[in-house]
C-alpha cells in the first residue's frame, strides 16, 4: 500500500489537491496540507497548535513555508497557493514524487538538481523539515519564506495593522508573536542560515474547499522575510517551527512503515489519542471536531486496548468519571461545558465501552469493582428520570424528547430545528439500554453484589418483551426506527443493527436474521451503512455543498463507516463462518479507503450513492476505531 505519487499525478492539481497528509504530535499539535503543497482548507498549516490560554481549539500559527531554489541565473519557486483565478507560484510543476510513508516526503527536480523534502512532527509538537540536495553539480541557494496566520483554525485572517510584526532574533533563527495572547512561534534553521527581514502581507490567499462548504475562503498571511542558506550536494539543512525554542535541531528516526491493513489502522489510531494540559482525551476528528462524549465512548475500545494501549482507556475513563452528571455525559464541544449534556445515548455507549473492556481485558467482576458506582449512577438516573426528559416508561423502555434538541447520534440541527429529531423511543437507545442492564446484572453477580442483582434481575425480561412489542412487526420483518406517542416510524435506518450487534439482544434468532437481511439489502455499501434506504422519498444520495445542504444529507442517506463494526458483529452472530467470509471480502475495501482522502486514515462519511465519494472530516476517530474492531472480529485475535 506504500504509494508513491509521480510527476503526472502531482501536476494534476485536481488530483493532488484531493489527497491530504496529516502529521500529529502526541500533545495534539499537527501539520497538514495537500500533497501538492497547496493549502485548500483554513484548517491546513504546518504549525497548528493548541493554545489552552485562549480556548480549546487548534490555532494556525505557521500557515505555510514557501521554498525558492536559486541555481545561478535560474530561480525555481516551489511553493503553491490558490489566489483568485490562479495558482501562484506553481511549485507542483517541479515535483517529481511524493510519498506519505514513513513520513511525508517530496522530491523536486529543478533543472539538473534534485532536492528532497521530509516533514515530521515530534511528540512535543515541534515541526521539522529536512531539505537534502541529493543531485547537483554545485551548491545551490535555498530560501524559505514562512507565512504566518496566528488565528483560530475556524477563522480566517485579514491584514491587520495592529499585529506585532517585530522580529526577535534567537539562536539559529527568529521568534514572532503577532498577538500577545498567543504563544511565540520559534522559527529556526541549521546550516549557518541567515534571516533577512522583508515583511509584507500575502493578500487573498484562497481555500477552495472552504468556498465549496459555504464559508469564508480568503485570507491574508504575513510574511516577515526569509531564511537563506547555501545547500551543498549530498548535504542537508533542517528547518524547525515550534512554540518553544529548540536547543538542538535534529530529525528523529521515522517509525517503521506499516506492512498490513491492521498496522495502517493502528498508526491512524494514534492520531486521535491526545495528551493535553487537561489530561488524555480523544479528538473526534480532523480537523474541526474536538473531544466529544459520544464519539469518545464509541471510539474507546478500538483506539485504546484493541490498539494495544489499555493505559489510555483507564486514563480517559478517569476524565469521564469526573464529567458524569446525573447519569449523563456531555457530548458536543468542550466536555467540561455543562450545557452540552443533551444526549440520550452517550452514557449507554459509556456502558458498552466498559463492557468491551471487560470482554477483552479484565473481566466483568473487575469492571464492576472499579466502575460499578458509575454504572449504577447511569442506570438509576435513566430508570427514574434525568435531564432532557430522559426516563424509563412502565414497559421498561427509555423515552426522551426535548424541544429543539436532537438527543441521539443523528443530531444535525438547522436554525435550531433538528433534521432527524427522533423523539420518543429510539430503537438503538433501547437496544443499548437492554444490553447495559444485562451486562450490569451479570457483572454485579460475578462481583458478588447480590443487592444490585436482586433489584435489577427482572428488568431484562421486562425490557425484552417491551422492546419486541414496541419495535417489531411481523409484516415488516424489521424494527421501527423510533416510536413516539404510539406512532411507529418505519424508515429503514441502520439504528436497528445494534439490536443484533450488541452482546445482549432482546430479539430471537429469526428476528435477528431478518434485521441483518434488511440492513444488508437496503443500507450496506463497501464504505459503511447508509443512514436511510435509497427507496425512501427523503433519501439524499450526495453529501456536499453548503452547510445547509450537508446537514440535510447528514443522516438522510449519507454513509457512515463506523457502523460497519456493528454490522460485522451482527453478521457474525447470525451467520457464523459464512458471515466471516463475507466480511473478509467487505474488509478488503478498507485498503483503498485508506488512500482516498487523508492518506492512511478513514474519513467521517461518504456519499450514499456510488461511487461513495468521501466527505466530512477527513480523519474520524470512530471510523478508524470501528475498523480496528471490525478487523479483530473477523481475525479472531
Amino acid at each position: 500500500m506504500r504509494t508513491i505519487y509521480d510527476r503526472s499525478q502531482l501536476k494534476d492539481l485536481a488530483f493532488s489537491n484531493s489527497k491530504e497528509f496529516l502529521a500529529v504530535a502526541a500533545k495534539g499539535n499537527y501539520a497538514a496540507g495537500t500533497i501538492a503543497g497547496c493549502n485548500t482548507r483554513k484548517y491546513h498549516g504546518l504549525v497548528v497548535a493548541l493554545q489552552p490560554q485562549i480556548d480549546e481549539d487548534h490555532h494556525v500559527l505557521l500557515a505555510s513555508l514557501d521554498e525558492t531554489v536559486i541555481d545561478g541565473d535560474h530561480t525555481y519557486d516551489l511553493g503553491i497557493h490558490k489566489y483568485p483565478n490562479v495558482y501562484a507560484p506553481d511549485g507542483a510543476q517541479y515535483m517529481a514524487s511524493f510519498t506519505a510513508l514513513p513520513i511525508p516526503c517530496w522530491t523536486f527536480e529543478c533543472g539538473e538538481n534534485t532536492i528532497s523534502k521530509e516533514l515530521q512532527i515530534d511528540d512535543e509538537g515541534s515541526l521539522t523539515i529536512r531539505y537534502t540536495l541529493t543531485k547537483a553539480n554545485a551548491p545551490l541557494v535555498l530560501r524559505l519564506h514562512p507565512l504566518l496566520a496566528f488565528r483560530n483554525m475556524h477563522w480566517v485572517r485579514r491584514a491587520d495593522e495592529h499585529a506585532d510584526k517585530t522580529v526577535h532574533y534567537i539562536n539559529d533563527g527568529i521568534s514572532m508573536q503577532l498577538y500577545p495572547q498567543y504563544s511565540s512561534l520559534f522559527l529556526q534553521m541549521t546550516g549557518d542560515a541567515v534571516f533577512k527581514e522583508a515583511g509584507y502581507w500575502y493578500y487573498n490567499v484562497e481555500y477552495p474547499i472552504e468556498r465549496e462548504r459555504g464559508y469564508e475562503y480568503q485570507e491574508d498571511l504575513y510574511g516577515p522575510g526569509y531564511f537563506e542558506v547555501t545547500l551543498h550536494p549530498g548535504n542537508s539543512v533542517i528547518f524547525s517551527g515550534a512554540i518553544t525554542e529548540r536547543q538542538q535541531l535534529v530529525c528523529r528516526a521515522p517509525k517503521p512503515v506499516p506492512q498490513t491493513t491492521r498496522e495502517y489502522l493502528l498508526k491512524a489510531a494514534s492520531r486521535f489519542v491526545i495528551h493535553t494540559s487537561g489530561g488524555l482525551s480523544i479528538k473526534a476528528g480532523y480537523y474541526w471536531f474536538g473531544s466529544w462524549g459520544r464519539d469518545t465512548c464509541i471510539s474507546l475500545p478500538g483506539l485504546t486496548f484493541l490498539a494495544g494501549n489499555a493505559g489510555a482507556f483507564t486514563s480517559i475513563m478517569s476524565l469521564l468519571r469526573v464529567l458524569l452528571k446525573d447519569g449523563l455525559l456531555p457530548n458536543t464541544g468542550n466536555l467540561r461545558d455543562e450545557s452540552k449534556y443533551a444526549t440520550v445515548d452517550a452514557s449507554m455507549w459509556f456502558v458498552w465501552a466498559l463492557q468491551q473492556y471487560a470482554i477483552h481485558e479484565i473481566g466483568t467482576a473487575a469492571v464492576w469493582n472499579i466502575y460499578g458506582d458509575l454504572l449504577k449512577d447511569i442506570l438509576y438516573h435513566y430508570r427514574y428520570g434525568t435531564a432532557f426528559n430522559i426516563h424509563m416508561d412502565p414497559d421498561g423502555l427509555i423515552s426522551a424528547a426535548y424541544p429543539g434538541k436532537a438527543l441521539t447520534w443523528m443530531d444535525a440541527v438547522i436554525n435550531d430545528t433538528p433534521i432527524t429529531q427522533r423523539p420518543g423511543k429510539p430503537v438503538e437507545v433501547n437496544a443499548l439500554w437492554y444490553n447495559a442492564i444485562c451486562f450490569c446484572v451479570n457483572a454485579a453477580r460475578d462481583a458478588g453484589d447480590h443487592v444490585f442483582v436482586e433489584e435489577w434481575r427482572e428488568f431484562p425480561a421486562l425490557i425484552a418483551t417491551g422492546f419486541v412489542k414496541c419495535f417489531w412487526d411481523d409484516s415488516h420483518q424489521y424494527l421501527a426506527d423510533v416510536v413516539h406517542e404510539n406512532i411507529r416510524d418505519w424508515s429503514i435506518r441502520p439504528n436497528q443493527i445494534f439490536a443484533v450487534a450488541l452482546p445482549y439482544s432482546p430479539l430471537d434468532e429469526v428476528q435477528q436474521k431478518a434485521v441483518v437481511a434488511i440492513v444488508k439489502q437496503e443500507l450496506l455499501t463497501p464504505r459503511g451503512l447508509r443512514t436511510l434506504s435509497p427507496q425512501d422519498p427523503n433519501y439524499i444520495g450526495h453529501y456536499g455543498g453548503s452547510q445547509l445542504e450537508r446537514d440535510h444529507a447528514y443522516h438522510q442517506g449519507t454513509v457512515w463507516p463506523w457502523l460497519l463494526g456493528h454490522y460485522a458483529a451482527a453478521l457474525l452472530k447470525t451467520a457464523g463462518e459464512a458471515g466471516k467470509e463475507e466480511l473478509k471480502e467487505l474488509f478488503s475495501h478498507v485498503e483503498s479507503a485508506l488512500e482516498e482522502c487523508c492518506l492512511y486514515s478513514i474519513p467521517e462519511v461518504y456519499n450514499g450513492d456510488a461511487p461513495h465519494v468521501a466527505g466530512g472530516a477527513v480523519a474520524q476517530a470512530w471510523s478508524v476505531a470501528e475498523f480496528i474492531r471490525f478487523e479483530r472480529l473477523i481475525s479472531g485475535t
Side-chain angles (χ1 to χ4, degrees), residues 170-240:
I170 60 173
N171 290 334
D172 299 320
I174 65 169
S175 71
M176 300 284 295
Q177 188 182 18
L178 296 190
Y179 300 95
Q181 67 269 35
Y182 277 92
S183 302
S184 292
L185 175 65
F186 296 89
L187 306 175
Q188 298 170 269
M189 194 170 180
T190 64
D192 296 324
V194 287
F195 184 80
K196 298 184 179 181
E197 293 188 44
Y200 56 93
W201 289 93
Y202 287 66
Y203 294 98
N204 298 320
V205 176
E206 292 190 350
Y207 304 119
I209 293 180
E210 303 308 326
R211 184 175 188 174
E212 293 172 11
R213 290 166 56 83
Y215 299 129
E216 288 187 86
Y217 63 92
Q218 290 184 333
E219 82 168 336
D220 305 328
L221 300 173
Y222 183 69
Y226 58 87
F227 289 91
E228 184 172 284
V229 67
T230 300
L231 191 55
H232 295 272
N235 290 351
S236 301
V237 294
I238 296 173
F239 171 87
S240 172

Side-chain angles (χ1 to χ4, degrees), residues 219-381:
E219 82 168 336
D220 305 328
L221 300 173
Y222 183 69
Y226 58 87
F227 289 91
E228 184 172 284
V229 67
T230 300
L231 191 55
H232 295 272
N235 290 351
S236 301
V237 294
I238 296 173
F239 171 87
S240 172
I243 58 175
T244 57
E245 184 176 356
R246 300 182 68 178
Q247 301 304 311
Q248 187 177 15
L249 302 186
V250 295
C251 293
R252 58 178 178 168
K255 294 181 179 179
V257 176
Q259 299 300 312
T260 65
T261 301
R262 173 192 281 190
E263 290 177 0
Y264 277 95
L265 290 170
L266 294 179
K267 181 179 175 67
S270 66
R271 295 169 170 173
F272 302 100
V273 182
I274 303 300
H275 298 257
T276 68
S277 57
L280 210 58
S281 66
I282 287 178
K283 183 174 173 64
Y286 290 92
Y287 303 99
W288 45 82
F289 289 117
S291 184
W292 289 25
R294 177 189 295 117
D295 298 57
T296 293
C297 294
I298 292 172
S299 302
L300 265 174
L303 297 186
T304 60
F305 53 83
L306 293 182
N309 190 3
F313 180 88
T314 56
S315 178
I316 294 169
M317 274 291 165
S318 296
L319 171 63
L320 296 179
R321 176 185 288 274
V322 174
L323 296 173
L324 190 67
K325 179 183 178 183
D326 297 333
L328 298 179
L329 283 174
N331 186 38
T332 59
N334 176 7
L335 293 187
R336 299 185 185 276
D337 184 344
E338 293 189 1
S339 68
K340 301 297 185 180
Y341 282 79
T343 167
V344 65
D345 58 336
S347 297
M348 293 294 99
W349 285 114
F350 176 87
V351 178
W352 174 82
L354 285 173
Q355 182 182 33
Q356 292 294 308
Y357 187 53
I359 292 170
H360 293 279
E361 292 290 320
I362 66 173
T364 54
V367 163
W368 189 259
N369 288 331
I370 299 170
Y371 301 104
D373 59 327
L374 304 181
L375 295 169
K376 291 177 183 178
D377 184 69
I378 292 169
L379 265 56
Y380 281 113
H381 275 98

Side-chain angles (χ1 to χ4, degrees), residues 138-196:
L140 303 175
V141 173
L142 175 65
R143 289 180 179 171
L144 302 182
H145 309 254
L147 302 186
L148 312 183
F150 276 80
R151 45 93 175 159
N152 184 291
M153 65 176 177
H154 299 299
W155 308 343
V156 290
R157 168 69 61 204
R158 283 302 188 182
D160 182 4
E161 63 180 18
H162 300 294
D164 184 354
K165 297 185 279 293
T166 305
V167 176
H168 302 276
Y169 287 87
I170 60 173
N171 290 334
D172 299 320
I174 65 169
S175 71
M176 300 284 295
Q177 188 182 18
L178 296 190
Y179 300 95
Q181 67 269 35
Y182 277 92
S183 302
S184 292
L185 175 65
F186 296 89
L187 306 175
Q188 298 170 269
M189 194 170 180
T190 64
D192 296 324
V194 287
F195 184 80
K196 298 184 179 181

